[in-house]
Amino acid sequence: IGLVFEANHGEIAAGELALAKASSNEATTYAQRMVNEHRAANMRLLTLSQQLDRAPADSPARRALAESAQQAMTALFTLSA
């Protein structure tokens, strides 16, 4: 659960960055869809984790994914839309 939650979190962050930098309607629409869909997925995941009485656990894989996402965000931040 934690790994999927982290993956969605990375996609949300990338979508929000794209929204901030987008210069075309198509890019803005796609970025907003990305944010909306991954937020909704995380909400469903949290609901499921509550039903199963399991919190999204931390793990080395989750931390590695978070670090990788942060590195990608740093690289993307320097690009223009």
Side-chain angles (χ1 to χ4, degrees):
I1 293 175
L3 192 58
V4 176
F5 186 84
E6 195 64 49
N8 282 327
H9 181 71
E11 293 296 318
I12 293 166
E16 288 174 340
L17 179 60
L19 280 170
K21 294 178 114 350
S23 59
S24 72
N25 287 338
E26 293 85 5
T28 301
T29 299
Y30 181 77
Q32 188 62 61
R33 180 177 168 195
M34 227 172 104
V35 169
N36 293 346
E37 288 182 2
H38 287 280
R39 276 192 182 141
N42 266 356
M43 293 303 294
R44 289 190 304 272
L45 188 61
L46 288 175
T47 298
L48 177 63
S49 71
Q50 290 170 348
Q51 290 170 348
L52 298 174
D53 197 26
R54 296 196 56 160
D58 192 21
S59 69
R62 183 177 179 180
R63 288 189 296 277
L65 183 59
E67 185 175 325
S68 176
Q70 183 57 49
Q71 290 171 355
M73 290 295 295
T74 299
L76 288 171
F77 188 76
T78 63
L79 300 175
S80 61

